[in-house]
Amino acid sequence: MNLFSIFSFVLVLAFIYLYAYYRSRSIDKKDSEGYFLGGRSLVGTTVGMTIIMTNLSTEQLVGQNGQSYVAGMEVMAWEVTASVAIVMLAWVFLPKYFKYGVNTISDFIEIRYDTFTKRIVSILFIVTYVVSFMPVVLYSGALIFNDLFGIEEHLGVSNITAVVIISTVIGLVGVTYLFVGGLSLIAHSDTLYGIGLLLGGLTIAVLAVIALGENSFFRGLDIFLNSSPEKLNAWGALDSSIVPWPTLFLGMLFNNLYFWCTNQMIVQKALAAKNLKEAQKGAMFVGFFKITGMLFLVIPGILAYNMFGEGMQMDLAYPALVAEVLPNWAAGFFGAVIFGAIISSFVGALNATVTLFSLDFYKPVINKQATNHQIAKAGRILTVVIGIIVVLIAPFISLFPQGLYAVIQEFNGLYSMPLLAIILVGFFSRKTSATGAKVVLIFHIIVYALSKVVIPDVHYLYVWSVLFLLDLGILYFYSQLKPDQEDFQFDKYKNKVDITPWKHSKWVGILILVIVVASYIVFSPLVLAK
């Protein structure tokens, strides 16, 4: 990075912060709803962008393109099929959450089951975010940022020292963001970062096509489509280590429903909308975005394969592509977008963690008489404490074996499937069983852990496919045979905002589903992968 790049990097970050601060200045951050949920004031585009940026991080940008460098278009399943779950979020899950006026996923679990089950789920979320998700986002994001922009060379330090410095800076900036402005400041920042990431990611892909065609876009496109058609097949083999095609309809679908519809980190952003209509608009916006995500999260990896050939370490494919095609003058702008992507994912998880602890433990257990202002103040203190803990943990990720990251990702499988089952039964069954919910959690954790020992070579998406159906069946029949309470009165709870649905949600959702199906037809042996 030259002097101009450094200047443009700082300028972009400062501009985005000032814009977000200006847009969020009217929200009372001293109130708990203002701090944790942005005063329930967000409109659809802001909701959509902040969800996108919470989900997107640099390990996806590099990791998924690295996977597609090796395996091709089957990697797009992580992006494109997510749109199916996001449509379900808009059609089914958000109307339920808004109807009951909940602030967290665990609030809904308390309504339908009991407080103990609620706190079990909250603890699982908190532990996952603090021990695995946030440290990995900081460390891997810093590692990738260093690879893309050569920070260690500019600072004259070792790789690990540069990564520690970068992760610390990102962590402290993220903590400051959340401490100062709460969710509203983050959401408005994410709007601009999201636009920048979309434009920057697409620009890299276009420049790569032009470079592949030796300064001709159409020649490059022709090479991309014809030189390695096997890479354009989105249907993974039965024994694929990435995404076996049967799991698209089972384990991958169930995982997407968990992540997009029951994950506090994601759903909290939708709950910050001013009404159900705006939340549904935001969700549909995310649905379209996830489909286009393959253009900069998957296709560049195949372009790297066509440009550099085989033999490259997969995680180096995207950084090598960026170094090859990105003009020097644009490094600062692209760097600011990457920096923002890391911050957004980190702060999104930090905000969810602080919200869960403050509302599920501080208010009902530690300080039962706490006012909204006291809860918000406690949230600020927790923001700093948890943020510092995560910053301290992040460098230790480097001490673990390289394969541990995949294991950490699979850790979510310990509770994601039973949580989804618990919420679905809570949505649609008048009878529920708090005892059954605990039994399902224990059953799933034991069986899933055993599966890693007994059938370690079976893809975890296959394991999730079976376990989710078992979890759902056990919980449903337990609730019917031994319910813990009388039939639930679905009309008992009152909403906090207008719950009139968006009148276009049905046809927009159908359009998204049609595009998902069309994408899988295009990237198949029927069309491009001949």
Side-chain angles (χ1 to χ4, degrees):
M1 287 181 125
N2 53 34
L3 187 61
F4 175 76
S5 296
I6 295 172
F7 174 76
S8 58
F9 174 83
V10 174
L11 184 65
V12 170
L13 293 182
F15 172 77
I16 291 175
Y17 174 80
L18 291 174
Y19 166 83
Y21 183 80
Y22 175 79
R23 290 296 305 273
S24 64
R25 71 193 190 285
S26 62
I27 303 299
D28 181 9
K29 285 86 173 181
K30 293 182 179 180
D31 178 78
S32 60
E33 278 207 353
Y35 187 71
F36 298 122
L37 291 169
R40 298 186 187 270
S41 63
L42 304 185
V43 297
T45 51
T46 307
V47 169
M49 279 299 190
T50 193
I51 290 176
I52 288 165
M53 293 306 293
T54 297
N55 166 239
L56 278 179
S57 55
T58 46
E59 68 264 21
Q60 282 178 278
L61 196 62
V62 172
Q64 289 187 12
N65 278 307
Q67 286 184 325
S68 65
Y69 168 80
V70 174
M73 286 302 297
E74 68 178 274
V75 180
M76 82 179 198
W78 294 104
E79 297 303 311
V80 176
T81 64
S83 297
V84 177
I86 293 165
V87 170
M88 294 301 106
L89 173 68
W91 282 356
V92 179
F93 288 79
L94 287 180
K96 297 286 187 181
Y97 294 144
F98 273 83
K99 178 180 180 180
Y100 299 128
V102 298
N103 294 321
T104 64
I105 298 297
S106 52
D107 279 350
F108 177 77
I109 292 173
E110 183 177 36
I111 289 173
R112 291 307 335 263
Y113 297 91
D114 65 0
T115 301
F116 187 72
T117 305
K118 164 187 177 175
R119 288 179 183 154
I120 291 175
V121 171
S122 292
I123 289 171
L124 287 170
F125 274 134
I126 290 169
V127 170
T128 301
Y129 294 154
V130 173
V131 175
S132 66
F133 185 82
M134 286 189 282
V136 168
V137 165
L138 280 187
Y139 178 78
S140 62
L143 194 67
I144 293 160
F145 191 87
N146 184 48
D147 287 343
L148 287 173
F149 302 105
I151 303 301
E152 63 182 283
E153 298 172 6
H154 295 291
L155 296 180
V157 297
S158 67
N159 177 274
I160 186 60
T161 301
V163 168
V164 169
I165 292 172
I166 297 167
S167 62
T168 301
V169 170
I170 293 171
L172 294 178
V173 171
V175 169
T176 303
Y177 249 75
L178 187 55
F179 182 87
V180 171
L183 186 141
S184 58
L185 182 68
I186 304 163
H188 290 295
S189 296
D190 286 347
T191 300
L192 294 188
Y193 281 129
I195 294 171
L197 185 63
L198 177 61
L199 294 177
L202 291 176
T203 298
I204 294 295
V206 171
L207 291 175
V209 172
I210 293 172
L212 186 63
E214 298 178 348
N215 294 322
S216 170
F217 176 83
F218 292 105
R219 184 182 175 194
L221 186 62
D222 184 64
I223 294 171
F224 169 77
L225 294 175
N226 295 293
S227 64
S228 54
E230 73 282 357
K231 295 282 187 184
L232 302 182
N233 187 8
W235 298 82
L238 285 172
D239 60 349
S240 169
S241 62
I242 307 296
V243 184
W245 71 262
T247 65
L248 294 174
F249 309 98
L250 296 165
M252 177 64 78
L253 173 62
F254 304 152
N255 179 63
N256 281 332
L257 287 171
Y258 152 73
F259 184 84
W260 293 101
C261 304
T262 69
N263 187 346
Q264 176 66 25
M265 186 174 68
I266 297 296
V267 174
Q268 183 172 338
K269 305 303 177 67
L271 296 179
K274 67 191 332 183
N275 51 46
L276 175 60
K277 179 173 73 173
E278 296 300 323
Q280 289 178 317
K281 286 181 183 178
M284 294 302 183
F285 181 83
V286 178
F288 281 113
F289 187 94
K290 294 300 286 184
I291 296 172
T292 62
M294 65 178 171
L295 298 176
F296 57 92
L297 291 170
V298 181
I299 286 177
I302 302 174
L303 290 168
Y305 175 83
N306 289 321
M307 289 179 67
F308 306 125
E310 296 180 351
M312 180 180 293
Q313 184 180 332
M314 58 188 288
D315 286 342
L316 296 179
Y318 191 73
L321 188 71
V322 172
E324 181 73 21
V325 305
L326 185 68
N328 289 334
W329 61 265
F333 296 105
F334 192 63
V337 169
I338 297 298
F339 191 86
I342 305 169
I343 286 180
S344 296
S345 295
F346 168 68
V347 174
L350 180 59
N351 187 39
T353 304
V354 171
T355 301
L356 287 167
F357 192 90
S358 300
L359 299 184
D360 292 353
F361 295 97
Y362 176 76
K363 166 65 176 174
V365 178
I366 299 172
N367 186 359
K368 296 181 180 179
Q369 305 303 317
T371 64
N372 282 340
H373 282 209
Q374 288 174 317
I375 297 170
K377 183 178 179 181
R380 277 191 165 81
I381 296 171
L382 282 168
T383 296
V384 175
V385 172
I386 295 174
I388 291 174
I389 290 172
V390 172
V391 168
L392 292 175
I393 292 174
F396 290 98
I397 299 295
S398 65
L399 302 178
F400 298 146
Q402 281 188 328
L404 186 62
Y405 178 66
V407 176
I408 291 173
Q409 292 299 86
E410 291 182 39
F411 173 79
N412 286 349
L414 280 173
Y415 66 90
S416 58
M417 297 299 100
L419 175 61
L420 177 60
I422 286 169
I423 289 178
L424 285 175
V425 171
F427 275 172
F428 300 110
S429 174
R430 287 191 176 275
K431 300 179 185 293
T432 56
S433 170
T435 304
K438 298 177 187 67
V439 168
V440 165
L441 281 167
I442 294 170
F443 163 80
H444 181 94
I445 290 171
I446 292 173
V447 175
Y448 182 66
L450 286 174
S451 75
K452 310 310 292 182
V453 177
V454 178
I455 49 173
D457 296 330
V458 175
H459 199 291
Y460 63 91
L461 287 175
Y462 280 126
V463 176
W464 291 358
S465 300
V466 175
L467 281 182
F468 171 72
L469 295 176
L470 289 175
D471 294 339
L472 191 62
I474 291 170
L475 181 59
Y476 179 76
F477 286 112
Y478 213 109
S479 298
Q480 297 303 306
L481 295 174
K482 295 184 179 180
D484 290 342
Q485 57 188 26
E486 296 180 0
D487 286 3
F488 181 73
Q489 301 300 316
F490 285 97
D491 297 328
K492 178 181 177 181
Y493 293 87
K494 294 183 178 180
N495 50 288
K496 295 182 179 179
V497 296
D498 181 20
I499 58 171
T500 304
W502 185 33
K503 63 181 180 180
H504 301 303
S505 64
K506 288 292 184 286
W507 73 262
V508 172
I510 291 171
L511 177 61
I512 290 173
L513 297 178
V514 168
I515 296 174
V516 169
V517 173
S519 298
Y520 269 89
I521 293 173
V522 171
F523 289 102
S524 76
L526 295 175
V527 184
L528 293 182
K530 293 181 179 179

